[in-house]
Amino acid sequence: KPIAAGQPPTLQVLVDMAIKGAWQGVIQLSQEFINSRSSRSSGSSGICSPRSMAHVRSLRLAAMLRLGMPAVQTEVSQIGDLSGTEYRAETHYEGQVGSIASFELRLLHSVAQSTAPSRTGAFNPLEPLYLLLDECQMCQDADEQLHGADKAAVSALLLDSTDSHESISEGRAWQIRARAVLLSIIRCHVIRKEFTVAVSMVMQYLNNNPDDLHVWWLACRL
């Protein structure tokens, strides 16, 4: 759907483009948002707000990965450290605590880092993804052991306050995130033609989750 003349594009337009798979459009429009933020003073609301720009970066990175663009590593560098103060809610929003980077952005960022050509000769090229998996499992374990303020403090390590699964428990939400990271790791091993490692990880997962039909389908393809 074309944007009416004189009307600024919205984040929803960018999301709709991504849903339709219009990845080139996502890249072009997201660059407009980034340029707009660079030329304006940042506020705490609107398309140029820090939280909105984190979502823009997430969609832009997804598009670049889907298209296999070499510039994805430049994008990762521009995004910077997702654990830094720039991505902390308390830096930008009074009374809020946690990360303004969605879990999707963290996952895409880790995938991009793990598949960078510069990591080809690394001892563990997929280390960024494995570290993210460890963090997910840590938060899942913490949810089972902690309560109240302690549990909230652990969740704030990674969780965007707008990224919660309201209809399920927090522990289950971290389990879902861990599964997403694990599947990304398996795909990366397949791309690297490390089929023995990929099959081993799939079978280990299915031993603990025998009802996961999607992973059974993946196992059949391997």
Side-chain angles (χ1 to χ4, degrees), residues 34-101:
I34 293 170
N35 292 343
S36 175
R37 176 170 172 77
S38 298
S39 62
R40 294 169 54 184
S41 59
S42 59
S44 60
S45 61
I47 189 59
C48 290
S49 71
R51 179 168 277 122
S52 293
M53 287 307 302
H55 286 297
V56 169
R57 288 288 189 182
S58 178
L59 292 167
R60 180 176 174 81
L61 188 54
M64 298 181 86
L65 286 169
R66 289 296 295 267
L67 295 176
M69 298 180 65
V72 69
Q73 299 308 321
T74 301
E75 184 68 17
V76 168
S77 177
Q78 291 176 352
I79 290 172
D81 181 9
L82 295 178
S83 299
T85 56
E86 180 183 354
Y87 290 96
R88 298 300 300 174
E90 50 267 40
T91 301
H92 307 284
Y93 303 95
E94 185 177 355
Q96 294 189 27
V97 178
S99 174
I100 62 171

Side-chain angles (χ1 to χ4, degrees), residues 132-146 151 154-155 157-158 169-180 205 209:
L132 183 59
L133 180 62
D134 288 343
E135 289 181 285
C136 291
Q137 292 172 338
M138 179 195 70
C139 288
Q140 183 180 343
D141 292 342
D143 180 75
E144 298 173 357
Q145 300 173 11
L146 301 177
K151 182 186 294 187
V154 172
S155 296
L157 289 174
L158 293 179
S169 69
E170 193 169 305
R172 175 58 178 159
W174 283 113
Q175 184 180 2
I176 292 171
R177 296 183 182 100
R179 177 184 180 275
Y205 174 83
N209 304 273

Side-chain angles (χ1 to χ4, degrees), residues 186 198-209 215-216 219:
I186 292 171
V199 170
S200 176
M201 294 184 72
V202 167
M203 298 313 298
Q204 182 178 355
Y205 174 83
L206 288 174
N207 283 337
N208 298 320
N209 304 273
V215 179
W216 274 112

